[in-house]
Amino acid sequence: MKHFGESSVKFANPPSILGAAAIVGPKEGEGPLAKYFDKVSHDILFGKDTWEQAESELMRQTIETAVRKAGLPMKAINYILAGDLLNQNSGSIYGARSFERPFFGLFGACSAMGMGLTLGAMLIDGGFAENVVANASSHFCGAEKTFRFPLELGTQRTPTASWTVTGDGAAVISANGKGPYITAATTGAIVDLGQKDVNNMGAAMAPAAADVIAKHFGDLSLANDYYDVIATGDLGKYGNKLLVQLLQKQGLHFGDSLTDCGMLIYDAERQDVHAGGSGCGCCAAVLAGYFLNKIRSGEMKKLLFVPTGALHSVVTIQQGETIPATAHAVAIEAALPHFSE
Amino acid sequence: METSKSQAVQDYEKLVREISPKSAVLYNSVKAFFVGGTICAAAQLLYNFFEGRGFSRDDTGLLVAAVLIAAAVLLTALRIYDRLAKFAGAGTIVPITGFANSIAAPAIEHKKEGMILGLGAKMFVIAGPVIVYGTVTSVIVGLIYYFMK
């Protein structure tokens, strides 16, 4: 059995991330992580006519880059697993259309990258695939149009609102390769602590992140200092504060090793993004661009990557429902555990 | 089980309130007051201008409204109105310019879905409720006025 405890798995033959790529939009290109991304597009439309086409083009380019960096032809990819925020996953579907590879569309809102990495690693360790692409994308303008207001509408954001990242991160996971390895994963349940404010998504998602992190450490009997970095997806700075409190209640103290991709991708003060970055592409691009580079260069050895997603729809919120959330924890390590010990 | 769940929800709500900052209501109100006031003052200047040209009181009112609407739509298309509104908040929402912006912005955003189902249908997605409830309220007030007169 590779299943451990309540909701975790350990991979018998941990798959490697053979190549990864991150492409972002102009605002992210002005942020502190700019130099880590494979490409910064200064055109928010990515040469297309609509926001929706722009996101698909962004996704297509990122996957193409990741597969090329992995040194594989597109034909060698057995499955593409991809998710985004547009209705019916259309960002991913139109983006992957030209690849003509077997495709699974994922819906986990901004937790999509965690789902993709988990399922991809399961497919490979299960012997059903040799190479899989996990991808997640988001586009600020497309997300505003889908979930909030037209861009030109005069509104004010609340202090807890976040800024949807225009970006995409793709990872080629493979049965071959010498790391970074996906060693374990914990899949989140749907957690809802009654939050209703769609302008405070960090608060809605923090309980899901706390739940999955606690289960990960419990299921796998890990010491609190096992990981160099625990990075949640897009809780933002207030969601991060809430997470720290929720984890402390369960006796989990991570100190400075606990961070959030939404806090890293922008300079919150200078770039006026309030709580921080959000969106499927936020943590995907930070992982593919920043963290995997840090692991490859040896600066970081063990990362727990925890993409977080708010799973409401515009309709359910208008009907007075609360915001359900989820989070998926994926352990990414520079070396295989039994080699390092 | 039910009670412990609702207790957890209440406890968490308390924690969220503690940690999440509130909007700066007083500061935002001051900004809204001055920007809204400036728009109204500009409208008064326009009013005096048209009145000075010999237009009737009714026509002057209509002309002022038309100029403000046109200006707001132009500023929306030039991507200036949303930036001003980010600063001014209700100061740019309450005047008639805010209403114009609320129609122009979705029209621009949804033009890509076609002139009928996109621009035409989505144009009133924000202003629609204002029109509906404005009309309903005016009918009720009109009826009260009619019977009390």
Side-chain angles (χ1 to χ4, degrees):
Chain A
M1 238 345 224
K2 300 172 195 174
H3 197 276
F4 287 79
E6 207 175 317
S7 39
S8 301
V9 295
K10 267 197 217 174
F11 298 105
N13 295 299
S16 281
I17 297 176
L18 209 53
I23 299 181
V24 297
K27 193 180 178 86
E28 295 68 28
E30 289 166 7
L33 302 185
K35 65 177 178 188
Y36 295 99
F37 300 126
D38 292 83
K39 183 179 151 189
V40 172
S41 172
H42 296 289
D43 173 15
I44 189 85
L45 276 166
F46 290 81
K48 297 290 172 182
D49 291 329
T50 69
W51 308 134
E52 292 76 11
Q53 288 171 6
E55 182 167 340
S56 296
E57 174 61 14
L58 159 68
M59 186 259 198
R60 193 193 64 74
Q61 286 182 16
T62 314
I63 291 187
E64 204 170 72
T65 310
V67 172
R68 192 179 62 234
K69 282 171 78 180
L72 297 172
M74 193 56 76
K75 280 260 172 254
I77 302 301
N78 303 119
Y79 296 99
I80 293 173
L81 308 173
D84 63 272
L85 287 173
L86 298 180
N87 295 340
Q88 285 79 43
N89 259 357
S90 54
S92 307
I93 287 163
Y94 288 90
R97 184 168 55 177
S98 62
F99 294 135
E100 298 180 352
R101 302 312 303 149
F103 175 87
F104 286 122
L106 305 177
F107 186 76
C110 309
S111 72
M113 195 60 178
M115 293 174 83
L117 293 170
T118 303
L119 293 168
M122 284 176 173
L123 283 170
I124 291 168
D125 196 32
F128 299 102
E130 194 176 356
N131 303 303
V132 172
V133 170
N135 184 88
S137 60
S138 52
H139 192 292
F140 172 76
C141 306
E144 288 295 304
K145 183 175 170 180
T146 305
F147 294 99
R148 286 174 281 270
F149 296 115
L151 287 183
E152 310 308 331
L153 186 73
T155 54
Q156 279 179 329
R157 287 165 181 272
T158 64
T160 53
S162 54
W163 190 277
T164 306
V165 165
T166 301
D168 186 300
V172 179
I173 315 166
S174 175
N176 315 303
K178 295 192 165 63
Y181 299 95
I182 299 178
T183 54
T186 304
T187 300
I190 294 166
V191 177
D192 189 337
L193 270 188
Q195 290 296 297
K196 285 188 168 181
D197 184 1
V198 289
N199 291 309
N200 193 358
M201 227 81 97
M205 299 187 294
D211 189 61
V212 84
I213 292 171
K215 280 178 181 153
H216 183 81
F217 279 83
D219 288 350
L220 303 176
S221 312
L222 298 172
N224 285 6
D225 62 354
Y226 184 80
Y227 293 102
D228 301 323
V229 173
I230 299 172
T232 49
D234 55 356
L235 296 182
K237 58 180 167 186
Y238 307 112
N240 175 264
K241 282 186 187 170
L242 287 163
L243 175 63
V244 170
Q245 300 260 335
L246 292 169
L247 288 170
Q248 274 173 5
K249 276 187 195 164
Q250 304 186 58
L252 292 164
H253 303 267
F254 298 114
D256 289 341
S257 64
L258 184 67
T259 187
D260 181 73
C261 299
M263 291 159 66
L264 298 171
I265 195 162
Y266 297 119
D267 180 335
E269 293 304 314
R270 181 172 56 84
Q271 296 188 283
D272 191 29
V273 294
H274 297 205
S278 64
C280 308
C282 175
C283 63
V286 172
L287 174 75
Y290 179 66
F291 285 129
L292 289 178
N293 274 318
K294 291 274 168 195
I295 294 174
R296 284 217 168 81
S297 70
E299 284 172 73
M300 191 186 287
K301 299 232 170 337
K302 295 170 183 171
L303 165 72
L304 187 66
F305 179 58
V306 192
T308 39
L311 303 174
H312 63 289
S313 79
V314 174
V315 173
T316 59
I317 292 304
Q318 284 172 351
Q319 292 174 349
E321 261 285 9
T322 52
I323 305 171
T326 195
H328 305 295
V330 182
I332 301 171
E333 303 183 49
L336 288 172
H338 55 273
F339 291 158
S340 62
E341 276 159 24
Chain B
M1 193 63 198
E2 267 308 301
T3 49
S4 74
K5 172 80 181 166
S6 73
Q7 187 59 48
V9 166
Q10 278 173 29
D11 290 350
Y12 187 59
E13 182 60 32
K14 216 176 122 201
L15 186 64
V16 170
R17 274 173 206 223
E18 217 173 273
I19 284 176
S20 309
K22 300 265 179 298
S23 295
V25 177
L26 188 67
Y27 178 55
N28 286 341
S29 302
V30 170
K31 290 191 295 184
F33 179 78
F34 281 103
V35 177
T38 306
I39 294 173
C40 296
Q44 184 61 48
L45 286 174
L46 280 170
Y47 190 94
N48 294 350
F49 171 79
F50 286 121
E51 207 178 28
R53 299 277 149 138
F55 287 103
S56 72
R57 242 185 108 175
D58 281 355
D59 284 351
T60 303
L62 288 173
L63 278 166
V64 171
V67 171
L68 289 176
I69 289 169
V73 171
L74 185 69
L75 290 175
T76 302
L78 293 173
R79 299 179 175 179
I80 295 169
Y81 201 88
D82 63 313
R83 283 172 213 184
L84 181 65
K86 185 175 165 29
F87 173 80
T92 47
I93 293 173
V94 176
I96 198 167
T97 50
F99 192 65
N101 168 255
S102 80
I103 294 174
I108 295 168
E109 188 74 289
H110 294 282
K111 197 178 153 215
K112 295 280 161 60
E113 285 87 66
M115 294 303 281
I116 308 290
L117 295 177
L119 191 149
K122 297 283 174 65
M123 199 172 189
F124 293 98
V125 76
I126 293 156
V130 183
I131 297 170
V132 170
Y133 294 109
T135 309
V136 171
T137 312
S138 65
V139 168
I140 294 169
V141 172
L143 283 170
I144 294 170
Y145 180 74
Y146 178 80
F147 285 112
M148 279 177 59
K149 199 169 66 164

